[in-house]
Amino acid sequence: MIVPEPCLRRLPWYLAYASLTRAKGERSLSSTQIARGVGVDASVVAKDLSYVAVTGRTRVGYEIDQLVGSLEDFLGFSVIHKAFLFGVGKLGGALLQDGGLERFGLDIAAGFDSKYELSGTSIHRTPIHHISRFKELQELMHVEIGVLTVPVDVAQSTAELLVEHGIKAIWNFTPVRIQVPDNVVVQNTSIYAHLALMYNRMG
Amino acid sequence: MIVPEPCLRRLPWYLAYASLTRAKGERSLSSTQIARGVGVDASVVAKDLSYVAVTGRTRVGYEIDQLVGSLEDFLGFSVIHKAFLFGVGKLGGALLQDGGLERFGLDIAAGFDSKYELSGTSIHRTPIHHISRFKELQELMHVEIGVLTVPVDVAQSTAELLVEHGIKAIWNFTPVRIQVPDNVVVQNTSIYAHLALMYNRMG
């Protein structure tokens, strides 16, 4: 199901809010409470949650455990998605350190880098290989997600290598607009672009 | 000047492309070349660049040094913005490690954490203080940007502390929708929300 992007951007807020509320010992949560908690119109919350297979009850609202579970399922956080990471520099290394990604369904099975001195090392139990071994490991593992944290000058060529070997989705942390076939999903997470947005709105 | 968000999201692509092209030894670049390079309509590129104070010449296009400089100025990357970082966990620590932020105009002057054992340490020459010292240092430094990398359960209360002491913009890396007064800019960079978007579009 194709869910509107603004809705997909809000659902994680509801999940975070529901998880926090649960941690405080609450058992149920109404869409009005969620709306107040995250600062979004109650009608928007109700509409967003209508995409998620969860039903609330009048006056009681949603049962929190069920709401959290349904949101996690819907957002894809409760299924493990295997990924490879390309470019074990500062950012790539930090993502491998961050065990937090696994809680959100992303399991980085291996990292690749062109620096020979990194081959055979590991970060937080994730092995690092030379990029020349990607093809061989991909033939064994059929990973669908590539996390792209390479330097800008090799972003496009690395993206092409990934696509050539069957990667279906690229999580692009570089500021480069990579060009790939239409059937490949690209998720851009350029923190520098976000900085520019923030500076501009600070006026 | 308020620039439309989609335009602000594309300009960093043009900057990355222009920088790459310059690194290859080119001296000029046309909007048609940029359009092809980043996969955006030439008319969109021309319109976006009309916000930036840079003029191209017929048949020659933009002088690359000038284009790169103008884009960097426009995006706020060539001015230093002082910031404090709150929450020196894995992500916060990684952002302090990443000297790359300074090239984009962000100078994190100090990190704060509630863990006493981190006080007095430093990461990549950035000093880490106990959060209780924030008020005192802020009175001296009048920093405008707060980078929020705290755990979710203290995201809202920390945001309130920042606002109370004059922070004007919060770069929020937590998945929490923080609520702040209208005059405070919030830039959300929740990488988990991006994961959800990517999973959904993978179908």
Side-chain angles (χ1 to χ4, degrees):
Chain A
M1 174 173 42
I2 292 296
V3 181
E5 186 166 324
C7 167
L8 276 170
R9 292 185 178 279
R10 286 186 296 261
L11 289 173
W13 294 338
Y14 310 159
L15 174 57
Y17 185 72
S19 304
L20 279 178
T21 309
R22 180 170 67 174
K24 285 177 190 151
E26 297 295 325
R27 296 294 198 83
S28 65
L29 193 59
S30 70
S31 51
T32 319
Q33 286 173 298
I34 298 173
R36 210 177 305 128
V38 302
V40 166
D41 252 34
S43 59
V44 174
V45 174
K47 180 142 198 295
D48 288 344
L49 288 177
S50 73
Y51 283 102
V52 184
V54 59
T55 41
R57 279 183 301 155
T58 324
R59 279 192 295 274
V60 180
Y62 301 100
E63 201 271 303
I64 289 195
D65 281 335
Q66 201 197 326
L67 179 63
V68 167
S70 300
L71 279 167
E72 285 178 342
D73 289 350
F74 188 80
L75 293 170
F77 295 160
S78 46
V79 179
I80 287 298
H81 303 76
K82 287 264 177 213
F84 283 151
L85 180 139
F86 300 84
V88 188
K90 280 174 186 166
L91 179 59
L95 289 172
L96 290 177
Q97 284 287 353
D98 185 2
L101 289 173
E102 238 169 284
R103 271 200 303 131
F104 295 88
L106 195 76
D107 174 21
I108 303 180
F112 295 92
D113 201 284
S114 60
K115 288 204 187 69
Y116 282 101
E117 60 266 37
L118 293 176
S119 308
T121 64
S122 70
I123 296 180
H124 194 75
R125 273 165 285 133
T126 307
I128 315 297
H129 307 288
H130 189 261
I131 183 66
S132 59
R133 293 201 57 204
F134 162 54
K135 181 169 180 276
E136 164 198 349
L137 285 162
Q138 174 65 343
E139 277 166 11
L140 291 171
M141 296 185 64
H142 305 290
V143 162
E144 297 202 331
I145 297 176
V147 182
L148 195 64
T149 48
V150 296
V152 289
D153 57 329
V154 294
Q156 179 61 35
S157 59
T158 307
E160 287 166 15
L161 178 75
L162 268 51
V163 171
E164 185 189 337
H165 294 292
I167 292 284
K168 298 276 185 291
I170 298 178
W171 194 5
N172 176 28
F173 282 86
T174 81
V176 174
R177 178 86 191 280
I178 53 171
Q179 299 207 49
V180 296
D182 283 346
N183 61 338
V184 175
V185 171
V186 175
Q187 175 62 47
N188 291 307
T189 302
S190 167
I191 63 172
Y192 308 124
H194 286 191
L195 260 184
L197 276 171
M198 182 172 70
Y199 293 155
N200 185 267
R201 280 186 278 138
M202 287 176 73
Chain B
M1 175 174 42
I2 292 297
V3 181
E5 185 164 326
C7 167
L8 276 170
R9 291 187 178 277
R10 287 186 296 261
L11 290 173
W13 293 338
Y14 310 160
L15 173 58
Y17 185 72
S19 304
L20 279 177
T21 310
R22 180 170 69 173
K24 285 177 190 152
E26 297 296 325
R27 297 291 198 83
S28 66
L29 194 58
S30 70
S31 50
T32 320
Q33 284 173 298
I34 298 174
R36 212 178 303 128
V38 302
V40 166
D41 252 32
S43 60
V44 173
V45 174
K47 181 142 197 297
D48 288 345
L49 288 178
S50 73
Y51 283 102
V52 183
V54 60
T55 41
R57 279 182 303 153
T58 326
R59 278 192 296 275
V60 180
Y62 301 99
E63 201 270 303
I64 290 196
D65 281 334
Q66 201 197 326
L67 180 62
V68 168
S70 300
L71 280 166
E72 285 178 343
D73 289 350
F74 188 80
L75 294 170
F77 294 162
S78 45
V79 179
I80 288 297
H81 303 75
K82 288 265 178 214
F84 283 150
L85 180 139
F86 299 85
V88 188
K90 279 173 187 168
L91 179 59
L95 289 173
L96 290 177
Q97 283 288 353
D98 184 2
L101 289 173
E102 239 171 283
R103 273 199 304 127
F104 294 89
L106 195 77
D107 175 21
I108 302 180
F112 295 91
D113 203 282
S114 60
K115 288 203 186 69
Y116 282 101
E117 60 267 37
L118 293 175
S119 308
T121 65
S122 70
I123 296 180
H124 195 74
R125 275 165 285 133
T126 306
I128 315 298
H129 306 288
H130 189 263
I131 184 67
S132 59
R133 291 203 58 205
F134 163 54
K135 181 168 178 273
E136 163 199 349
L137 284 162
Q138 175 65 344
E139 277 166 12
L140 290 170
M141 297 185 64
H142 305 290
V143 161
E144 296 201 331
I145 297 176
V147 181
L148 196 64
T149 48
V150 294
V152 290
D153 55 331
V154 293
Q156 179 61 36
S157 58
T158 307
E160 287 166 15
L161 179 75
L162 270 50
V163 172
E164 186 190 335
H165 294 292
I167 292 284
K168 299 275 185 292
I170 298 178
W171 194 5
N172 177 27
F173 282 87
T174 80
V176 175
R177 178 86 191 280
I178 53 171
Q179 299 207 48
V180 296
D182 283 345
N183 62 336
V184 175
V185 172
V186 175
Q187 175 62 48
N188 290 307
T189 302
S190 167
I191 65 174
Y192 308 124
H194 286 190
L195 262 183
L197 276 172
M198 182 172 72
Y199 294 154
N200 185 266
R201 280 186 278 138
M202 288 174 73

